[in-house]
Structure formats: C-alpha cells, structure tokens
Amino acid sequence: RYADDPERALPISKAIILAKLVNSRKIIGRGLRDHPDEVDMARLQGVADKLTANINSAGEATNTDSLRGIEGESARAYFSVFDQLILQQKEEFLFQERNRRPPLDPVNALLSYVYTLLAIECQNALESVGIDPYVGFFHADRPGRAGLALDLMEEFRAYLGDRFVLSLINRRQIHGDDFMEKENGAVLITDDAKKEIIAAWQKRKQEIIEHPFLKEKLEIGLLPYSQAMLMASYLRGDLQAYPPFFVQ
C-alpha cells in the first residue's frame, strides 16, 4: 500500500537515492584523497561538486519523476570519471561509458555481473524479512522485475559493487584475457574468471564493519539483510523513517 501511494512512497525513494548519491561521492572522494598524483583532480572534483548539488536537489524533490531525473544525471556524471579510478591495466580495462544489454567492454561486463550478484542478495534479504521484492518504490513495477530489490541495491552499488570491481582490476585479480567478445560486440566473462570473482566476492562479504545506524559490527555480506530488516520495521510502523545505508 505504501508503494501505491506516491506521497508515502516518495520519502523511501528519496532516502534510497540520497544514500546512492552520497555513497557515490565517497568513491570519488577516495580517488581524490588516496591517489592525487594518478587522477585528474579537476575532473573528479567537478563530479564530486555535481553530486553534492544533486544531493541537495534530491532532498528537495517533490515527486518520483524529478528524483529519477536527478538520479540519472548523477549516474552519468559519476560514470564519466569512473575511468579515473582504474589505476592498473588501463589498456585492457578502458572505460568510456556505462552500457549494458549487452555490455560492450570488460569493465561494463564486470559491473553488470557484480550488480546481478548484488541484486540477488537484495532480493533474498527482502524475502527473508517478509517483504515482496517485486513491489518497488523508486523502480516502477514491471512484470518479472524485482523492483524493490533494485531499489535496495541502489544504496550498495558504489560501496559493494563499484569498489569491488575497481579492486578486482587494480589488484590484478582479473585480467584482459578473462573476457571474450561475441560477434555482436557483447563482451562476456569466461567461466573460470566467474569462479575467481565469486571467490573474491565471498571473501569480501566476510569483512567486518560497524553499521552506521545500528551501531553494531557485522559482516559486509549482511548489509542487504540489515537494510531489509530496517525497511520492514519502518513499513510496520516501528521506525518513524527508513534509515538508508551511508558509507562512513
């Protein structure tokens, strides 16, 4: 019923997108802070400033359509400098823009694959706390699309997805020959490489952080569950607002 009512759905959508933008800005900030001699500081700072402005705009959005416009503009700006965060194997992992269905280069293939893993985690988490993952707030309902799982995933794209992909490349855990190109230009990850990615993903999920809202230490892999639990608490009236996940 919350999803059916635009006025009740909007605060949840805003919280999710605010977290996405803040967490994306954190990724840019890490590049500025940790690798000032290896990145184009002006380009990264320009996108960080753009995200800051869009965070303010998202907080003031009065409907979901305007929020979607802000999110889309922010994603384009963010991915316009994603190549700056690839510090190793730059020739094999050249990135110009985000593309999908099909991905046309190794970086996009990695992003799409990892996002799929993350979406599955979010869907399972929502189902485990008794929420229908197919009823979205930000992502409109479409037959067969787990809209709420995609909503929840927005909070984690930068922190769990993008950072993981950058780590695989920059730590040389994956290489250019781990991909193959099809006749239609689609770039696919080899089966052996997928096994390596899954192993690294499972290891990443075991790392411990302190949840910024719950103030409890937990494995990173439990973050989708913790957020699903908080969303369930909000929808059942136990919390006054839904607290999204902000990277500390």
Side-chain angles (χ1 to χ4, degrees):
R1 300 287 74 79
Y2 270 68
D4 291 337
D5 184 343
E7 290 188 6
R8 298 174 84 183
L10 182 61
I12 304 175
S13 296
K14 287 172 71 170
I16 288 168
I17 297 308
L18 282 169
K20 176 180 182 175
L21 300 188
V22 169
N23 295 342
S24 296
R25 187 178 60 182
K26 282 277 189 179
I27 298 293
I28 303 295
R30 281 171 58 92
L32 287 165
R33 182 191 70 223
D34 297 343
H35 307 286
D37 298 328
E38 300 174 79
V39 301
D40 186 328
M41 295 283 284
R43 284 184 64 196
L44 285 183
Q45 188 60 58
V47 169
D49 293 343
K50 178 66 174 176
L51 290 174
T52 298
N54 284 358
I55 287 166
N56 294 329
S57 297
E60 299 171 359
T62 56
N63 57 70
T64 304
D65 284 341
S66 64
L67 190 62
R68 290 191 181 108
I70 294 165
E71 185 274 335
E73 181 183 41
S74 300
R76 286 189 292 274
Y78 171 77
F79 280 117
S80 74
V81 294
F82 196 72
D83 65 300
Q84 290 292 312
L85 306 177
I86 298 172
L87 307 175
Q88 304 291 331
Q89 309 185 89
K90 293 183 76 72
E91 291 186 6
E92 295 92 335
F93 292 94
L94 179 67
F95 181 86
Q96 296 179 316
E97 63 180 359
R98 179 76 178 112
N99 52 63
R100 57 188 78 79
R101 300 189 191 95
L104 302 176
D105 58 69
V107 179
N108 275 294
L110 281 173
L111 288 169
S112 292
Y113 184 65
V114 171
Y115 289 163
T116 298
L117 297 177
L118 186 53
I120 293 169
E121 302 265 357
C122 290
Q123 180 169 343
N124 291 341
L126 289 165
E127 290 175 343
S128 73
V129 299
I131 300 179
D132 186 346
Y134 288 87
V135 181
F137 297 106
F138 182 72
H139 289 86
D141 291 350
R142 290 183 189 170
R145 183 171 79 166
L148 189 54
L150 297 178
D151 286 354
L152 188 63
M153 175 178 155
E154 297 292 358
E155 302 177 33
F156 302 118
R157 279 187 189 268
Y159 180 63
L160 293 184
D162 302 344
R163 275 185 59 177
F164 179 68
V165 167
L166 290 169
S167 176
L168 288 174
I169 298 170
N170 290 334
R171 293 182 179 178
R172 299 180 181 272
Q173 293 173 279
I174 198 143
H175 308 90
D177 57 7
D178 289 320
F179 303 84
M180 53 187 176
E181 184 173 349
K182 304 291 283 186
E183 292 181 359
N184 64 351
V187 173
L188 305 179
I189 306 171
T190 66
D191 289 341
D192 286 344
K194 285 182 179 179
K195 294 176 184 176
E196 296 294 328
I197 293 168
I198 292 293
W201 178 251
Q202 295 299 336
K203 185 176 180 180
R204 166 72 168 149
K205 285 167 56 179
Q206 293 171 4
E207 296 176 17
I208 303 294
I209 66 165
E210 181 178 290
H211 191 284
F213 179 79
L214 298 172
K215 303 301 180 183
E216 297 176 359
K217 293 188 181 300
L218 75 168
E219 291 185 357
I220 283 176
L222 290 176
L223 284 175
Y225 173 78
S226 70
Q227 291 309 120
M229 182 182 64
L230 289 169
M231 184 173 288
S233 296
Y234 169 62
L235 294 174
R236 291 166 182 152
D238 297 329
L239 291 173
Q240 291 187 336
Y242 169 64
F245 175 75
F246 290 104
V247 178
Q248 299 299 294

